[in-house]
Amino acid sequence: MQMSDQKEIAADPASVYAALLSPEVLKACVPGAQDVSGSPEEGFEAKVTQKVGPVKATFTGHVTLSDMVPGEKLTISGEGKGGAAGFAKGGAVVTLTQSETGTLLSYEVEAKVGGKLAQLGSRIIDGFAKKMADQFFTNLQDALAPAPLDAADAEEDAEAGGAKPKGWFRKLLGGASEENT
Protein backbone atom coordinates (compact mmCIF):
# COMPACT_ATOMS: atom_id res chain seq x y z
CA MET A 1 0.00 0.00 0.00
CA GLN A 2 1.20 3.47 -0.84
CA MET A 3 -0.32 6.71 0.36
CA SER A 4 0.66 10.36 0.30
CA ASP A 5 -1.03 13.53 1.42
CA GLN A 6 -0.48 16.99 2.85
CA LYS A 7 -1.98 18.53 5.97
CA GLU A 8 -1.91 22.11 7.16
CA ILE A 9 -1.00 22.37 10.87
CA ALA A 10 -1.56 25.70 12.65
CA ALA A 11 1.83 25.70 14.41
CA ASP A 12 5.39 26.54 13.42
CA PRO A 13 7.58 23.76 11.94
CA ALA A 14 9.77 23.53 15.08
CA SER A 15 6.70 22.84 17.27
CA VAL A 16 5.33 20.25 14.84
CA TYR A 17 8.74 18.55 14.65
CA ALA A 18 9.04 18.49 18.46
CA ALA A 19 5.54 17.02 18.75
CA LEU A 20 6.42 14.21 16.33
CA LEU A 21 9.39 13.29 18.57
CA SER A 22 7.44 13.27 21.86
CA PRO A 23 6.14 9.90 23.12
CA GLU A 24 3.45 11.71 25.15
CA VAL A 25 2.15 13.58 22.10
CA LEU A 26 2.32 10.44 19.95
CA LYS A 27 0.32 8.49 22.53
CA ALA A 28 -2.32 11.24 22.52
CA CYS A 29 -2.41 11.43 18.71
CA VAL A 30 -2.19 7.82 17.49
CA PRO A 31 -5.72 6.37 17.44
CA GLY A 32 -5.97 3.37 19.75
CA ALA A 33 -2.55 3.92 21.35
CA GLN A 34 -2.37 2.38 24.81
CA ASP A 35 1.32 2.99 25.41
CA VAL A 36 4.15 4.77 23.62
CA SER A 37 7.61 4.93 25.17
CA GLY A 38 11.17 5.50 24.08
CA SER A 39 13.16 8.29 22.52
CA PRO A 40 13.93 9.60 19.02
CA GLU A 41 17.52 8.32 19.33
CA GLU A 42 16.67 4.76 20.42
CA GLY A 43 13.25 4.45 18.77
CA PHE A 44 9.79 4.07 20.20
CA GLU A 45 7.91 1.03 21.47
CA ALA A 46 4.15 1.20 21.03
CA LYS A 47 1.06 -0.80 21.90
CA VAL A 48 -2.01 0.00 19.78
CA THR A 49 -5.43 -1.64 19.67
CA GLN A 50 -7.44 -1.29 16.47
CA LYS A 51 -10.39 -2.87 14.71
CA VAL A 52 -9.99 -3.24 10.96
CA GLY A 53 -13.18 -4.57 9.44
CA PRO A 54 -14.06 -7.71 11.45
CA VAL A 55 -10.51 -8.10 12.82
CA LYS A 56 -9.66 -6.53 16.18
CA ALA A 57 -6.12 -6.83 17.46
CA THR A 58 -3.58 -5.32 19.76
CA PHE A 59 -0.35 -4.58 17.93
CA THR A 60 3.00 -4.21 19.61
CA GLY A 61 5.66 -2.59 17.56
CA HIS A 62 8.89 -0.72 17.26
CA VAL A 63 9.39 2.55 15.38
CA THR A 64 12.73 4.10 14.44
CA LEU A 65 13.49 7.58 13.15
CA SER A 66 16.20 8.44 10.64
CA ASP A 67 17.25 11.15 8.17
CA MET A 68 16.28 13.69 10.81
CA VAL A 69 16.63 17.36 9.87
CA PRO A 70 15.20 19.38 12.81
CA GLY A 71 12.13 21.38 11.83
CA GLU A 72 12.24 20.12 8.23
CA LYS A 73 12.19 16.36 7.65
CA LEU A 74 12.33 12.87 9.13
CA THR A 75 11.87 9.28 8.04
CA ILE A 76 9.78 6.91 10.17
CA SER A 77 10.20 3.13 9.87
CA GLY A 78 8.40 0.53 11.90
CA GLU A 79 6.69 -2.77 12.24
CA GLY A 80 4.01 -4.17 14.47
CA LYS A 81 2.74 -7.65 15.26
CA GLY A 82 -0.86 -8.37 16.13
CA GLY A 83 -0.70 -12.09 16.85
CA ALA A 84 -3.18 -14.10 14.78
CA ALA A 85 -4.44 -10.89 13.15
CA GLY A 86 -1.14 -10.51 11.34
CA PHE A 87 1.49 -7.85 11.01
CA ALA A 88 2.08 -4.43 9.52
CA LYS A 89 5.38 -2.86 8.53
CA GLY A 90 6.42 0.13 6.56
CA GLY A 91 7.75 3.63 6.60
CA ALA A 92 6.97 7.24 5.92
CA VAL A 93 8.94 10.28 4.82
CA VAL A 94 7.60 13.41 6.53
CA THR A 95 8.49 16.88 5.27
CA LEU A 96 7.65 20.13 7.08
CA THR A 97 7.46 23.44 5.21
CA GLN A 98 6.70 26.88 6.67
CA SER A 99 3.36 28.19 5.36
CA GLU A 100 1.28 31.33 5.84
CA THR A 101 -0.85 29.66 8.50
CA GLY A 102 1.81 27.49 10.17
CA THR A 103 3.27 24.32 8.71
CA LEU A 104 2.49 22.28 5.62
CA LEU A 105 3.18 18.67 6.60
CA SER A 106 3.66 16.33 3.62
CA TYR A 107 4.02 12.59 3.94
CA GLU A 108 4.59 9.57 1.73
CA VAL A 109 3.84 6.17 3.24
CA GLU A 110 4.65 2.69 2.02
CA ALA A 111 3.31 -0.21 4.08
CA LYS A 112 2.68 -3.94 3.92
CA VAL A 113 0.26 -6.06 5.91
CA GLY A 114 0.07 -9.82 6.32
CA GLY A 115 -2.02 -12.48 8.00
CA LYS A 116 -5.77 -12.04 8.51
CA LEU A 117 -5.38 -8.32 7.79
CA ALA A 118 -4.12 -9.00 4.27
CA GLN A 119 -7.13 -11.22 3.63
CA LEU A 120 -9.46 -8.24 4.11
CA GLY A 121 -8.42 -6.79 0.78
CA SER A 122 -6.77 -3.57 -0.27
CA ARG A 123 -9.98 -1.53 -0.39
CA ILE A 124 -10.66 -2.05 3.33
CA ILE A 125 -7.00 -1.69 4.32
CA ASP A 126 -6.48 1.47 2.24
CA GLY A 127 -9.65 3.07 3.62
CA PHE A 128 -8.63 2.20 7.16
CA ALA A 129 -5.12 3.63 6.66
CA LYS A 130 -6.53 6.90 5.29
CA LYS A 131 -8.97 7.14 8.23
CA MET A 132 -6.14 6.51 10.72
CA ALA A 133 -3.90 9.14 9.10
CA ASP A 134 -6.70 11.72 9.08
CA GLN A 135 -7.49 11.04 12.75
CA PHE A 136 -3.79 11.27 13.70
CA PHE A 137 -3.42 14.69 12.05
CA THR A 138 -6.68 15.96 13.55
CA ASN A 139 -5.39 14.90 16.98
CA LEU A 140 -1.98 16.49 16.27
CA GLN A 141 -3.64 19.76 15.25
CA ASP A 142 -5.72 19.70 18.45
CA ALA A 143 -2.59 19.01 20.53
CA LEU A 144 -0.77 21.97 18.99
CA ALA A 145 -3.74 24.36 18.87
CA PRO A 146 -3.61 27.38 21.13
CA ALA A 147 -5.48 26.71 24.35
CA PRO A 148 -8.04 29.23 25.56
CA LEU A 149 -6.26 31.78 27.73
CA ASP A 150 -7.25 32.49 31.28
CA ALA A 151 -6.31 35.88 32.76
CA ALA A 152 -2.89 34.71 34.09
CA ASP A 153 -1.98 33.04 30.77
CA ALA A 154 -3.07 36.14 28.83
CA GLU A 155 -0.77 38.32 30.95
CA GLU A 156 2.16 35.86 30.56
CA ASP A 157 1.48 35.64 26.82
CA ALA A 158 1.52 39.42 26.42
CA GLU A 159 4.79 39.70 28.37
CA ALA A 160 6.41 36.97 26.23
CA GLY A 161 5.25 38.51 22.98
CA GLY A 162 2.90 35.60 22.24
CA ALA A 163 5.74 33.30 21.13
CA LYS A 164 5.18 30.44 23.59
CA PRO A 165 3.45 27.15 22.82
CA LYS A 166 0.04 26.95 24.43
CA GLY A 167 -1.83 24.52 26.67
CA TRP A 168 -0.63 21.08 27.59
CA PHE A 169 1.98 21.02 24.80
CA ARG A 170 3.79 23.87 26.58
CA LYS A 171 3.83 21.72 29.72
CA LEU A 172 5.27 18.79 27.73
CA LEU A 173 8.06 21.02 26.50
CA GLY A 174 8.71 21.88 30.14
CA GLY A 175 8.54 25.59 29.56
CA ALA A 176 11.60 25.38 27.29
CA SER A 177 10.43 28.37 25.31
CA GLU A 178 10.18 30.42 28.51
CA GLU A 179 13.92 29.95 29.06
CA ASN A 180 14.63 31.40 25.62
CA THR A 181 12.78 34.67 26.24
Side-chain angles (χ1 to χ4, degrees):
M1 171 190 69
Q2 293 184 331
M3 182 172 68
S4 62
D5 202 355
Q6 296 179 331
K7 299 292 180 182
E8 188 68 34
I9 307 290
D12 64 279
S15 295
V16 175
Y17 188 83
L20 292 173
L21 301 182
S22 165
E24 293 86 5
V25 174
L26 292 174
K27 182 178 178 186
C29 294
V30 173
Q34 297 176 345
D35 186 40
V36 177
S37 60
S39 69
E41 298 79 21
E42 296 176 12
F44 297 105
E45 299 291 329
K47 185 176 184 180
V48 178
T49 299
Q50 279 298 325
K51 185 172 193 260
V52 184
V55 179
K56 182 177 181 181
T58 298
F59 290 87
T60 55
H62 184 77
V63 175
T64 57
L65 305 176
S66 61
D67 302 327
M68 298 170 63
V69 179
E72 293 179 21
K73 178 184 166 189
L74 65 119
T75 299
I76 303 167
S77 303
E79 65 179 273
K81 296 178 182 169
F87 69 89
K89 65 179 175 178
V93 176
V94 178
T95 306
L96 307 173
T97 308
Q98 182 77 42
S99 70
E100 290 181 19
T101 58
T103 301
L104 180 64
L105 185 150
S106 304
Y107 64 91
E108 293 184 29
V109 174
E110 188 168 338
K112 293 181 180 183
V113 295
K116 286 184 182 178
L117 287 176
Q119 295 171 3
L120 295 174
S122 64
R123 195 177 91 192
I124 291 175
I125 297 296
D126 291 353
F128 174 77
K130 175 78 172 127
K131 179 181 158 191
M132 286 280 292
D134 288 345
Q135 185 62 54
F136 173 83
F137 290 113
T138 297
N139 294 347
L140 180 63
Q141 176 61 59
D142 292 346
L144 292 170
L149 296 177
D150 63 22
D153 282 344
E155 186 176 315
E156 273 184 42
D157 195 45
E159 290 173 9
K164 297 187 304 186
K166 306 288 189 273
W168 66 272
F169 188 62
R170 176 176 65 197
K171 292 175 186 162
L172 284 176
L173 292 176
S177 61
E178 291 177 15
E179 296 168 5
N180 297 334
T181 57

